[in-house]
Amino acid sequence: MKIALINENSQNAKNPMIEAALKKVVEPMGHTVFNYGMYADEGSAPLTYVQNGILAAVLLNGGAADYVVTGCGTGEGAMLALNSFPGVICGHVEDPLDAYTFAQINDGNAVALPFALKNGWGQELQLEYTFEKLFGFGSGNGYPADRVVPEQRNKKILDGVRAAAFRPLPDILDDLDRELVRGALSGERFQELFFANATDETVITKVREIIG
């Protein structure tokens, strides 16, 4: 699985620590982490939590990522931004229990973590434990056992509702402020990572148009 890491501007200093914790857990599982920033370097192209949502939607809909790990100070803004787009089901995950139940019950493809709140000593351990529960036990299996059937049924219903509620991503990108979108796609390694991994030609074409 291709897992994309995205940080917004208030938490960019923690990017190396988050990347290290994520890679430590998921690489032995056979997953690959692609770090889209923003990076710890203060000169990095800034990302707001709204732009996190735009970038995550481009990566997931474009096939450049199968899963997005992101967040902001509280995780709330990033979660709301990601869920504003088609093809993205993002959970707000504070701890390992949240991670496990979101993966098993809601079967999403993105998480938003609170990288500032309640994170002092041991933050790297909390992240490792959270990533273990998020990626280490499959997804969509249901929990608890007596709720598996209705949970899986409800997830299919939700997928149908979301398919009816959203327009195609390229159409949405056209209607957003072009500089806002261009800023979301201006990270130092965006083009290198995106074009090497993306598979959806419609999204690829739209991205090329936007970034010129």
PDB file of all heavy atoms in Angstrom, residues 2 34-36 54-65 169 173 185 187 189-209 211:
ATOM      1  N   LYS A   2       0.455   2.233  -0.770  1.00  0.00           N
ATOM      2  CA  LYS A   2       1.163   3.517  -0.831  1.00  0.00           C
ATOM      3  C   LYS A   2       0.530   4.448   0.204  1.00  0.00           C
ATOM      4  O   LYS A   2      -0.643   4.816   0.086  1.00  0.00           O
ATOM      5  CB  LYS A   2       1.056   4.118  -2.224  1.00  0.00           C
ATOM      6  CG  LYS A   2       1.732   3.293  -3.311  1.00  0.00           C
ATOM      7  CD  LYS A   2       1.508   3.874  -4.697  1.00  0.00           C
ATOM      8  CE  LYS A   2       0.071   3.706  -5.160  1.00  0.00           C
ATOM      9  NZ  LYS A   2      -0.115   4.091  -6.584  1.00  0.00           N
ATOM     10  N   PHE A  34       5.301   7.775   1.481  1.00  0.00           N
ATOM     11  CA  PHE A  34       5.728   8.888   0.639  1.00  0.00           C
ATOM     12  C   PHE A  34       5.434  10.183   1.395  1.00  0.00           C
ATOM     13  O   PHE A  34       4.283  10.482   1.696  1.00  0.00           O
ATOM     14  CB  PHE A  34       4.972   8.868  -0.693  1.00  0.00           C
ATOM     15  CG  PHE A  34       5.239   7.637  -1.512  1.00  0.00           C
ATOM     16  CD1 PHE A  34       4.413   6.526  -1.421  1.00  0.00           C
ATOM     17  CD2 PHE A  34       6.338   7.586  -2.360  1.00  0.00           C
ATOM     18  CE1 PHE A  34       4.662   5.383  -2.168  1.00  0.00           C
ATOM     19  CE2 PHE A  34       6.599   6.444  -3.111  1.00  0.00           C
ATOM     20  CZ  PHE A  34       5.759   5.342  -3.011  1.00  0.00           C
ATOM     21  N   ASN A  35       6.480  10.919   1.716  1.00  0.00           N
ATOM     22  CA  ASN A  35       6.356  12.123   2.539  1.00  0.00           C
ATOM     23  C   ASN A  35       6.187  13.349   1.634  1.00  0.00           C
ATOM     24  O   ASN A  35       7.119  13.774   0.960  1.00  0.00           O
ATOM     25  CB  ASN A  35       7.600  12.272   3.417  1.00  0.00           C
ATOM     26  CG  ASN A  35       7.455  13.381   4.437  1.00  0.00           C
ATOM     27  OD1 ASN A  35       6.501  14.143   4.416  1.00  0.00           O
ATOM     28  ND2 ASN A  35       8.418  13.475   5.335  1.00  0.00           N
ATOM     29  N   TYR A  36       4.981  13.915   1.635  1.00  0.00           N
ATOM     30  CA  TYR A  36       4.689  15.092   0.827  1.00  0.00           C
ATOM     31  C   TYR A  36       4.864  16.396   1.598  1.00  0.00           C
ATOM     32  O   TYR A  36       4.513  17.456   1.099  1.00  0.00           O
ATOM     33  CB  TYR A  36       3.256  15.001   0.293  1.00  0.00           C
ATOM     34  CG  TYR A  36       3.113  14.064  -0.885  1.00  0.00           C
ATOM     35  CD1 TYR A  36       2.952  12.691  -0.692  1.00  0.00           C
ATOM     36  CD2 TYR A  36       3.150  14.539  -2.185  1.00  0.00           C
ATOM     37  CE1 TYR A  36       2.823  11.829  -1.770  1.00  0.00           C
ATOM     38  CE2 TYR A  36       3.024  13.674  -3.275  1.00  0.00           C
ATOM     39  CZ  TYR A  36       2.864  12.321  -3.054  1.00  0.00           C
ATOM     40  OH  TYR A  36       2.736  11.462  -4.132  1.00  0.00           O
ATOM     41  N   ILE A  54      -7.129  19.335  -0.099  1.00  0.00           N
ATOM     42  CA  ILE A  54      -6.974  19.351  -1.561  1.00  0.00           C
ATOM     43  C   ILE A  54      -5.899  18.366  -1.987  1.00  0.00           C
ATOM     44  O   ILE A  54      -6.097  17.549  -2.906  1.00  0.00           O
ATOM     45  CB  ILE A  54      -6.624  20.768  -2.041  1.00  0.00           C
ATOM     46  CG1 ILE A  54      -7.772  21.739  -1.751  1.00  0.00           C
ATOM     47  CG2 ILE A  54      -6.277  20.767  -3.536  1.00  0.00           C
ATOM     48  CD1 ILE A  54      -7.426  23.205  -1.957  1.00  0.00           C
ATOM     49  N   LEU A  55      -4.749  18.412  -1.326  1.00  0.00           N
ATOM     50  CA  LEU A  55      -3.643  17.532  -1.682  1.00  0.00           C
ATOM     51  C   LEU A  55      -4.023  16.067  -1.471  1.00  0.00           C
ATOM     52  O   LEU A  55      -3.753  15.212  -2.321  1.00  0.00           O
ATOM     53  CB  LEU A  55      -2.408  17.898  -0.859  1.00  0.00           C
ATOM     54  CG  LEU A  55      -1.166  17.026  -1.034  1.00  0.00           C
ATOM     55  CD1 LEU A  55      -0.760  16.920  -2.497  1.00  0.00           C
ATOM     56  CD2 LEU A  55      -0.014  17.582  -0.189  1.00  0.00           C
ATOM     57  N   ALA A  56      -4.649  15.765  -0.339  1.00  0.00           N
ATOM     58  CA  ALA A  56      -5.056  14.379  -0.070  1.00  0.00           C
ATOM     59  C   ALA A  56      -6.021  13.874  -1.128  1.00  0.00           C
ATOM     60  O   ALA A  56      -5.914  12.729  -1.598  1.00  0.00           O
ATOM     61  CB  ALA A  56      -5.692  14.285   1.319  1.00  0.00           C
ATOM     62  N   ALA A  57      -6.975  14.724  -1.530  1.00  0.00           N
ATOM     63  CA  ALA A  57      -7.947  14.318  -2.548  1.00  0.00           C
ATOM     64  C   ALA A  57      -7.262  14.051  -3.881  1.00  0.00           C
ATOM     65  O   ALA A  57      -7.603  13.088  -4.585  1.00  0.00           O
ATOM     66  CB  ALA A  57      -9.019  15.394  -2.704  1.00  0.00           C
ATOM     67  N   VAL A  58      -6.301  14.877  -4.247  1.00  0.00           N
ATOM     68  CA  VAL A  58      -5.564  14.674  -5.497  1.00  0.00           C
ATOM     69  C   VAL A  58      -4.787  13.367  -5.446  1.00  0.00           C
ATOM     70  O   VAL A  58      -4.779  12.582  -6.414  1.00  0.00           O
ATOM     71  CB  VAL A  58      -4.622  15.870  -5.770  1.00  0.00           C
ATOM     72  CG1 VAL A  58      -3.620  15.539  -6.866  1.00  0.00           C
ATOM     73  CG2 VAL A  58      -5.437  17.100  -6.155  1.00  0.00           C
ATOM     74  N   LEU A  59      -4.144  13.089  -4.327  1.00  0.00           N
ATOM     75  CA  LEU A  59      -3.348  11.868  -4.212  1.00  0.00           C
ATOM     76  C   LEU A  59      -4.215  10.620  -4.252  1.00  0.00           C
ATOM     77  O   LEU A  59      -3.895   9.650  -4.953  1.00  0.00           O
ATOM     78  CB  LEU A  59      -2.534  11.902  -2.907  1.00  0.00           C
ATOM     79  CG  LEU A  59      -1.507  13.019  -2.767  1.00  0.00           C
ATOM     80  CD1 LEU A  59      -0.815  12.940  -1.417  1.00  0.00           C
ATOM     81  CD2 LEU A  59      -0.490  12.977  -3.903  1.00  0.00           C
ATOM     82  N   LEU A  60      -5.324  10.628  -3.516  1.00  0.00           N
ATOM     83  CA  LEU A  60      -6.176   9.439  -3.448  1.00  0.00           C
ATOM     84  C   LEU A  60      -6.943   9.219  -4.748  1.00  0.00           C
ATOM     85  O   LEU A  60      -7.009   8.098  -5.257  1.00  0.00           O
ATOM     86  CB  LEU A  60      -7.142   9.553  -2.270  1.00  0.00           C
ATOM     87  CG  LEU A  60      -6.493   9.448  -0.885  1.00  0.00           C
ATOM     88  CD1 LEU A  60      -7.482   9.849   0.200  1.00  0.00           C
ATOM     89  CD2 LEU A  60      -5.966   8.035  -0.627  1.00  0.00           C
ATOM     90  N   ASN A  61      -7.516  10.275  -5.291  1.00  0.00           N
ATOM     91  CA  ASN A  61      -8.266  10.137  -6.543  1.00  0.00           C
ATOM     92  C   ASN A  61      -7.348   9.899  -7.731  1.00  0.00           C
ATOM     93  O   ASN A  61      -7.756   9.282  -8.720  1.00  0.00           O
ATOM     94  CB  ASN A  61      -9.131  11.376  -6.779  1.00  0.00           C
ATOM     95  CG  ASN A  61     -10.354  11.415  -5.885  1.00  0.00           C
ATOM     96  OD1 ASN A  61     -11.402  10.867  -6.213  1.00  0.00           O
ATOM     97  ND2 ASN A  61     -10.233  12.066  -4.733  1.00  0.00           N
ATOM     98  N   GLY A  62      -6.126  10.393  -7.631  1.00  0.00           N
ATOM     99  CA  GLY A  62      -5.171  10.208  -8.719  1.00  0.00           C
ATOM    100  C   GLY A  62      -4.455   8.880  -8.683  1.00  0.00           C
ATOM    101  O   GLY A  62      -3.718   8.541  -9.618  1.00  0.00           O
ATOM    102  N   GLY A  63      -4.641   8.106  -7.623  1.00  0.00           N
ATOM    103  CA  GLY A  63      -3.978   6.823  -7.513  1.00  0.00           C
ATOM    104  C   GLY A  63      -2.541   6.899  -7.043  1.00  0.00           C
ATOM    105  O   GLY A  63      -1.834   5.886  -7.008  1.00  0.00           O
ATOM    106  N   ALA A  64      -2.093   8.087  -6.652  1.00  0.00           N
ATOM    107  CA  ALA A  64      -0.721   8.234  -6.157  1.00  0.00           C
ATOM    108  C   ALA A  64      -0.584   7.723  -4.734  1.00  0.00           C
ATOM    109  O   ALA A  64       0.524   7.459  -4.271  1.00  0.00           O
ATOM    110  CB  ALA A  64      -0.284   9.694  -6.229  1.00  0.00           C
ATOM    111  N   ALA A  65      -1.696   7.606  -4.019  1.00  0.00           N
ATOM    112  CA  ALA A  65      -1.698   7.081  -2.652  1.00  0.00           C
ATOM    113  C   ALA A  65      -2.933   6.216  -2.454  1.00  0.00           C
ATOM    114  O   ALA A  65      -3.992   6.476  -3.043  1.00  0.00           O
ATOM    115  CB  ALA A  65      -1.683   8.214  -1.630  1.00  0.00           C
ATOM    116  N   LEU A 169     -13.625  14.939  -9.076  1.00  0.00           N
ATOM    117  CA  LEU A 169     -12.628  15.838  -8.496  1.00  0.00           C
ATOM    118  C   LEU A 169     -12.110  16.892  -9.475  1.00  0.00           C
ATOM    119  O   LEU A 169     -11.982  18.063  -9.089  1.00  0.00           O
ATOM    120  CB  LEU A 169     -11.460  15.038  -7.923  1.00  0.00           C
ATOM    121  CG  LEU A 169     -10.356  15.882  -7.283  1.00  0.00           C
ATOM    122  CD1 LEU A 169     -10.876  16.621  -6.055  1.00  0.00           C
ATOM    123  CD2 LEU A 169      -9.151  15.030  -6.930  1.00  0.00           C
ATOM    124  N   LEU A 173     -11.910  20.915  -8.642  1.00  0.00           N
ATOM    125  CA  LEU A 173     -10.667  21.694  -8.675  1.00  0.00           C
ATOM    126  C   LEU A 173     -10.802  22.913  -9.575  1.00  0.00           C
ATOM    127  O   LEU A 173     -10.251  23.976  -9.273  1.00  0.00           O
ATOM    128  CB  LEU A 173      -9.508  20.811  -9.139  1.00  0.00           C
ATOM    129  CG  LEU A 173      -9.128  19.648  -8.218  1.00  0.00           C
ATOM    130  CD1 LEU A 173      -8.015  18.818  -8.849  1.00  0.00           C
ATOM    131  CD2 LEU A 173      -8.722  20.124  -6.837  1.00  0.00           C
ATOM    132  N   LEU A 185      -0.280  22.021  -4.254  1.00  0.00           N
ATOM    133  CA  LEU A 185       0.494  21.106  -5.094  1.00  0.00           C
ATOM    134  C   LEU A 185       1.909  21.610  -5.347  1.00  0.00           C
ATOM    135  O   LEU A 185       2.568  21.158  -6.285  1.00  0.00           O
ATOM    136  CB  LEU A 185      -0.228  20.904  -6.437  1.00  0.00           C
ATOM    137  CG  LEU A 185      -1.701  20.521  -6.369  1.00  0.00           C
ATOM    138  CD1 LEU A 185      -2.269  20.328  -7.779  1.00  0.00           C
ATOM    139  CD2 LEU A 185      -1.928  19.282  -5.527  1.00  0.00           C
ATOM    140  N   GLY A 187       4.546  21.604  -3.131  1.00  0.00           N
ATOM    141  CA  GLY A 187       5.587  21.063  -2.269  1.00  0.00           C
ATOM    142  C   GLY A 187       6.831  20.664  -3.044  1.00  0.00           C
ATOM    143  O   GLY A 187       6.764  20.320  -4.239  1.00  0.00           O
ATOM    144  N   ARG A 189       8.629  18.100  -3.225  1.00  0.00           N
ATOM    145  CA  ARG A 189       8.726  16.770  -3.834  1.00  0.00           C
ATOM    146  C   ARG A 189       7.410  16.331  -4.467  1.00  0.00           C
ATOM    147  O   ARG A 189       7.291  15.166  -4.877  1.00  0.00           O
ATOM    148  CB  ARG A 189       9.173  15.752  -2.784  1.00  0.00           C
ATOM    149  CG  ARG A 189      10.547  16.013  -2.189  1.00  0.00           C
ATOM    150  CD  ARG A 189      10.977  14.847  -1.317  1.00  0.00           C
ATOM    151  NE  ARG A 189      11.117  13.621  -2.092  1.00  0.00           N
ATOM    152  CZ  ARG A 189      11.084  12.391  -1.576  1.00  0.00           C
ATOM    153  NH1 ARG A 189      10.895  12.237  -0.264  1.00  0.00           N
ATOM    154  NH2 ARG A 189      11.210  11.325  -2.346  1.00  0.00           N
ATOM    155  N   PHE A 190       6.434  17.237  -4.546  1.00  0.00           N
ATOM    156  CA  PHE A 190       5.128  16.816  -5.054  1.00  0.00           C
ATOM    157  C   PHE A 190       5.219  16.214  -6.448  1.00  0.00           C
ATOM    158  O   PHE A 190       4.735  15.102  -6.698  1.00  0.00           O
ATOM    159  CB  PHE A 190       4.126  17.981  -5.070  1.00  0.00           C
ATOM    160  CG  PHE A 190       2.854  17.614  -5.786  1.00  0.00           C
ATOM    161  CD1 PHE A 190       1.897  16.842  -5.158  1.00  0.00           C
ATOM    162  CD2 PHE A 190       2.644  18.003  -7.105  1.00  0.00           C
ATOM    163  CE1 PHE A 190       0.735  16.455  -5.832  1.00  0.00           C
ATOM    164  CE2 PHE A 190       1.487  17.633  -7.787  1.00  0.00           C
ATOM    165  CZ  PHE A 190       0.528  16.859  -7.138  1.00  0.00           C
ATOM    166  N   GLN A 191       5.809  16.935  -7.393  1.00  0.00           N
ATOM    167  CA  GLN A 191       5.832  16.452  -8.766  1.00  0.00           C
ATOM    168  C   GLN A 191       6.614  15.150  -8.888  1.00  0.00           C
ATOM    169  O   GLN A 191       6.188  14.218  -9.587  1.00  0.00           O
ATOM    170  CB  GLN A 191       6.409  17.522  -9.689  1.00  0.00           C
ATOM    171  CG  GLN A 191       5.532  18.761  -9.790  1.00  0.00           C
ATOM    172  CD  GLN A 191       5.973  19.698 -10.887  1.00  0.00           C
ATOM    173  OE1 GLN A 191       6.295  19.267 -11.998  1.00  0.00           O
ATOM    174  NE2 GLN A 191       6.010  20.994 -10.590  1.00  0.00           N
ATOM    175  N   GLU A 192       7.723  15.073  -8.188  1.00  0.00           N
ATOM    176  CA  GLU A 192       8.538  13.857  -8.220  1.00  0.00           C
ATOM    177  C   GLU A 192       7.733  12.643  -7.758  1.00  0.00           C
ATOM    178  O   GLU A 192       7.728  11.588  -8.414  1.00  0.00           O
ATOM    179  CB  GLU A 192       9.761  14.056  -7.317  1.00  0.00           C
ATOM    180  CG  GLU A 192      10.546  12.794  -7.042  1.00  0.00           C
ATOM    181  CD  GLU A 192      11.489  12.950  -5.851  1.00  0.00           C
ATOM    182  OE1 GLU A 192      11.685  14.090  -5.388  1.00  0.00           O
ATOM    183  OE2 GLU A 192      12.002  11.924  -5.382  1.00  0.00           O
ATOM    184  N   LEU A 193       7.038  12.780  -6.633  1.00  0.00           N
ATOM    185  CA  LEU A 193       6.316  11.648  -6.060  1.00  0.00           C
ATOM    186  C   LEU A 193       4.998  11.376  -6.778  1.00  0.00           C
ATOM    187  O   LEU A 193       4.644  10.219  -7.042  1.00  0.00           O
ATOM    188  CB  LEU A 193       6.053  11.897  -4.570  1.00  0.00           C
ATOM    189  CG  LEU A 193       7.282  12.043  -3.678  1.00  0.00           C
ATOM    190  CD1 LEU A 193       6.870  12.348  -2.245  1.00  0.00           C
ATOM    191  CD2 LEU A 193       8.142  10.785  -3.722  1.00  0.00           C
ATOM    192  N   PHE A 194       4.255  12.441  -7.088  1.00  0.00           N
ATOM    193  CA  PHE A 194       2.936  12.253  -7.684  1.00  0.00           C
ATOM    194  C   PHE A 194       3.018  11.602  -9.054  1.00  0.00           C
ATOM    195  O   PHE A 194       2.349  10.590  -9.327  1.00  0.00           O
ATOM    196  CB  PHE A 194       2.206  13.591  -7.781  1.00  0.00           C
ATOM    197  CG  PHE A 194       0.856  13.485  -8.442  1.00  0.00           C
ATOM    198  CD1 PHE A 194      -0.242  13.015  -7.740  1.00  0.00           C
ATOM    199  CD2 PHE A 194       0.689  13.834  -9.784  1.00  0.00           C
ATOM    200  CE1 PHE A 194      -1.481  12.904  -8.346  1.00  0.00           C
ATOM    201  CE2 PHE A 194      -0.552  13.734 -10.396  1.00  0.00           C
ATOM    202  CZ  PHE A 194      -1.639  13.262  -9.672  1.00  0.00           C
ATOM    203  N   PHE A 195       3.824  12.151  -9.933  1.00  0.00           N
ATOM    204  CA  PHE A 195       3.842  11.644 -11.305  1.00  0.00           C
ATOM    205  C   PHE A 195       4.483  10.258 -11.409  1.00  0.00           C
ATOM    206  O   PHE A 195       4.220   9.514 -12.357  1.00  0.00           O
ATOM    207  CB  PHE A 195       4.539  12.638 -12.231  1.00  0.00           C
ATOM    208  CG  PHE A 195       3.751  13.901 -12.444  1.00  0.00           C
ATOM    209  CD1 PHE A 195       4.251  15.129 -12.043  1.00  0.00           C
ATOM    210  CD2 PHE A 195       2.493  13.853 -13.011  1.00  0.00           C
ATOM    211  CE1 PHE A 195       3.513  16.296 -12.224  1.00  0.00           C
ATOM    212  CE2 PHE A 195       1.736  15.010 -13.196  1.00  0.00           C
ATOM    213  CZ  PHE A 195       2.257  16.235 -12.800  1.00  0.00           C
ATOM    214  N   ALA A 196       5.282   9.883 -10.427  1.00  0.00           N
ATOM    215  CA  ALA A 196       5.865   8.540 -10.425  1.00  0.00           C
ATOM    216  C   ALA A 196       4.860   7.490  -9.972  1.00  0.00           C
ATOM    217  O   ALA A 196       5.045   6.295 -10.276  1.00  0.00           O
ATOM    218  CB  ALA A 196       7.092   8.505  -9.515  1.00  0.00           C
ATOM    219  N   ASN A 197       3.800   7.916  -9.277  1.00  0.00           N
ATOM    220  CA  ASN A 197       2.891   6.941  -8.669  1.00  0.00           C
ATOM    221  C   ASN A 197       1.439   7.046  -9.115  1.00  0.00           C
ATOM    222  O   ASN A 197       0.681   6.086  -8.963  1.00  0.00           O
ATOM    223  CB  ASN A 197       2.941   7.087  -7.146  1.00  0.00           C
ATOM    224  CG  ASN A 197       4.252   6.636  -6.559  1.00  0.00           C
ATOM    225  OD1 ASN A 197       4.531   5.446  -6.477  1.00  0.00           O
ATOM    226  ND2 ASN A 197       5.087   7.594  -6.154  1.00  0.00           N
ATOM    227  N   ALA A 198       1.026   8.184  -9.643  1.00  0.00           N
ATOM    228  CA  ALA A 198      -0.376   8.383 -10.006  1.00  0.00           C
ATOM    229  C   ALA A 198      -0.767   7.475 -11.171  1.00  0.00           C
ATOM    230  O   ALA A 198       0.050   7.156 -12.038  1.00  0.00           O
ATOM    231  CB  ALA A 198      -0.633   9.844 -10.366  1.00  0.00           C
ATOM    232  N   THR A 199      -2.045   7.072 -11.187  1.00  0.00           N
ATOM    233  CA  THR A 199      -2.532   6.145 -12.207  1.00  0.00           C
ATOM    234  C   THR A 199      -3.760   6.651 -12.957  1.00  0.00           C
ATOM    235  O   THR A 199      -4.078   6.137 -14.029  1.00  0.00           O
ATOM    236  CB  THR A 199      -2.884   4.790 -11.572  1.00  0.00           C
ATOM    237  OG1 THR A 199      -3.877   4.980 -10.551  1.00  0.00           O
ATOM    238  CG2 THR A 199      -1.651   4.136 -10.962  1.00  0.00           C
ATOM    239  N   ASP A 200      -4.484   7.624 -12.415  1.00  0.00           N
ATOM    240  CA  ASP A 200      -5.709   8.116 -13.032  1.00  0.00           C
ATOM    241  C   ASP A 200      -5.374   9.244 -14.008  1.00  0.00           C
ATOM    242  O   ASP A 200      -4.976  10.339 -13.596  1.00  0.00           O
ATOM    243  CB  ASP A 200      -6.689   8.605 -11.969  1.00  0.00           C
ATOM    244  CG  ASP A 200      -8.046   8.954 -12.547  1.00  0.00           C
ATOM    245  OD1 ASP A 200      -8.144   9.977 -13.248  1.00  0.00           O
ATOM    246  OD2 ASP A 200      -9.004   8.205 -12.291  1.00  0.00           O
ATOM    247  N   GLU A 201      -5.544   8.981 -15.297  1.00  0.00           N
ATOM    248  CA  GLU A 201      -5.120   9.939 -16.313  1.00  0.00           C
ATOM    249  C   GLU A 201      -5.917  11.237 -16.267  1.00  0.00           C
ATOM    250  O   GLU A 201      -5.390  12.303 -16.589  1.00  0.00           O
ATOM    251  CB  GLU A 201      -5.227   9.312 -17.704  1.00  0.00           C
ATOM    252  CG  GLU A 201      -4.197   8.225 -17.967  1.00  0.00           C
ATOM    253  CD  GLU A 201      -2.771   8.732 -17.858  1.00  0.00           C
ATOM    254  OE1 GLU A 201      -2.531   9.922 -18.179  1.00  0.00           O
ATOM    255  OE2 GLU A 201      -1.900   7.946 -17.450  1.00  0.00           O
ATOM    256  N   THR A 202      -7.195  11.170 -15.877  1.00  0.00           N
ATOM    257  CA  THR A 202      -7.996  12.387 -15.792  1.00  0.00           C
ATOM    258  C   THR A 202      -7.447  13.330 -14.735  1.00  0.00           C
ATOM    259  O   THR A 202      -7.326  14.542 -14.954  1.00  0.00           O
ATOM    260  CB  THR A 202      -9.466  12.048 -15.479  1.00  0.00           C
ATOM    261  OG1 THR A 202      -9.965  11.138 -16.454  1.00  0.00           O
ATOM    262  CG2 THR A 202     -10.319  13.304 -15.470  1.00  0.00           C
ATOM    263  N   VAL A 203      -7.113  12.782 -13.570  1.00  0.00           N
ATOM    264  CA  VAL A 203      -6.549  13.599 -12.498  1.00  0.00           C
ATOM    265  C   VAL A 203      -5.148  14.064 -12.867  1.00  0.00           C
ATOM    266  O   VAL A 203      -4.783  15.218 -12.623  1.00  0.00           O
ATOM    267  CB  VAL A 203      -6.549  12.824 -11.160  1.00  0.00           C
ATOM    268  CG1 VAL A 203      -5.865  13.638 -10.077  1.00  0.00           C
ATOM    269  CG2 VAL A 203      -7.974  12.476 -10.746  1.00  0.00           C
ATOM    270  N   ILE A 204      -4.360  13.184 -13.468  1.00  0.00           N
ATOM    271  CA  ILE A 204      -3.004  13.570 -13.881  1.00  0.00           C
ATOM    272  C   ILE A 204      -3.055  14.746 -14.847  1.00  0.00           C
ATOM    273  O   ILE A 204      -2.299  15.719 -14.715  1.00  0.00           O
ATOM    274  CB  ILE A 204      -2.279  12.375 -14.517  1.00  0.00           C
ATOM    275  CG1 ILE A 204      -2.012  11.292 -13.471  1.00  0.00           C
ATOM    276  CG2 ILE A 204      -0.970  12.819 -15.179  1.00  0.00           C
ATOM    277  CD1 ILE A 204      -1.497   9.985 -14.058  1.00  0.00           C
ATOM    278  N   THR A 205      -3.938  14.673 -15.809  1.00  0.00           N
ATOM    279  CA  THR A 205      -4.074  15.763 -16.786  1.00  0.00           C
ATOM    280  C   THR A 205      -4.459  17.063 -16.122  1.00  0.00           C
ATOM    281  O   THR A 205      -3.923  18.142 -16.439  1.00  0.00           O
ATOM    282  CB  THR A 205      -5.118  15.389 -17.859  1.00  0.00           C
ATOM    283  OG1 THR A 205      -4.670  14.203 -18.550  1.00  0.00           O
ATOM    284  CG2 THR A 205      -5.300  16.514 -18.855  1.00  0.00           C
ATOM    285  N   LYS A 206      -5.398  16.993 -15.175  1.00  0.00           N
ATOM    286  CA  LYS A 206      -5.851  18.215 -14.485  1.00  0.00           C
ATOM    287  C   LYS A 206      -4.713  18.791 -13.653  1.00  0.00           C
ATOM    288  O   LYS A 206      -4.520  20.018 -13.602  1.00  0.00           O
ATOM    289  CB  LYS A 206      -7.049  17.908 -13.612  1.00  0.00           C
ATOM    290  CG  LYS A 206      -7.590  19.097 -12.831  1.00  0.00           C
ATOM    291  CD  LYS A 206      -7.940  20.279 -13.731  1.00  0.00           C
ATOM    292  CE  LYS A 206      -9.034  19.926 -14.717  1.00  0.00           C
ATOM    293  NZ  LYS A 206      -9.407  21.101 -15.558  1.00  0.00           N
ATOM    294  N   VAL A 207      -3.920  17.944 -12.994  1.00  0.00           N
ATOM    295  CA  VAL A 207      -2.807  18.428 -12.190  1.00  0.00           C
ATOM    296  C   VAL A 207      -1.781  19.128 -13.080  1.00  0.00           C
ATOM    297  O   VAL A 207      -1.265  20.193 -12.743  1.00  0.00           O
ATOM    298  CB  VAL A 207      -2.175  17.266 -11.404  1.00  0.00           C
ATOM    299  CG1 VAL A 207      -0.816  17.686 -10.819  1.00  0.00           C
ATOM    300  CG2 VAL A 207      -3.106  16.798 -10.295  1.00  0.00           C
ATOM    301  N   ARG A 208      -1.475  18.549 -14.227  1.00  0.00           N
ATOM    302  CA  ARG A 208      -0.517  19.177 -15.151  1.00  0.00           C
ATOM    303  C   ARG A 208      -1.026  20.543 -15.591  1.00  0.00           C
ATOM    304  O   ARG A 208      -0.256  21.500 -15.706  1.00  0.00           O
ATOM    305  CB  ARG A 208      -0.284  18.282 -16.367  1.00  0.00           C
ATOM    306  CG  ARG A 208       0.475  17.010 -16.073  1.00  0.00           C
ATOM    307  CD  ARG A 208       0.909  16.316 -17.356  1.00  0.00           C
ATOM    308  NE  ARG A 208       1.494  15.020 -17.118  1.00  0.00           N
ATOM    309  CZ  ARG A 208       2.756  14.805 -16.738  1.00  0.00           C
ATOM    310  NH1 ARG A 208       3.555  15.846 -16.559  1.00  0.00           N
ATOM    311  NH2 ARG A 208       3.210  13.584 -16.542  1.00  0.00           N
ATOM    312  N   GLU A 209      -2.317  20.633 -15.839  1.00  0.00           N
ATOM    313  CA  GLU A 209      -2.904  21.913 -16.237  1.00  0.00           C
ATOM    314  C   GLU A 209      -2.768  22.951 -15.133  1.00  0.00           C
ATOM    315  O   GLU A 209      -2.440  24.127 -15.383  1.00  0.00           O
ATOM    316  CB  GLU A 209      -4.379  21.708 -16.575  1.00  0.00           C
ATOM    317  CG  GLU A 209      -5.143  22.981 -16.880  1.00  0.00           C
ATOM    318  CD  GLU A 209      -6.633  22.732 -16.978  1.00  0.00           C
ATOM    319  OE1 GLU A 209      -7.029  21.683 -17.513  1.00  0.00           O
ATOM    320  OE2 GLU A 209      -7.413  23.596 -16.505  1.00  0.00           O
ATOM    321  N   ILE A 211      -0.620  23.063 -12.456  1.00  0.00           N
ATOM    322  CA  ILE A 211       0.732  23.477 -12.082  1.00  0.00           C
ATOM    323  C   ILE A 211       1.503  24.056 -13.258  1.00  0.00           C
ATOM    324  O   ILE A 211       2.603  24.590 -13.081  1.00  0.00           O
ATOM    325  CB  ILE A 211       1.519  22.301 -11.462  1.00  0.00           C
ATOM    326  CG1 ILE A 211       1.751  21.184 -12.472  1.00  0.00           C
ATOM    327  CG2 ILE A 211       0.801  21.806 -10.215  1.00  0.00           C
ATOM    328  CD1 ILE A 211       2.562  20.030 -11.894  1.00  0.00           C
TER     329      ILE A 211
END
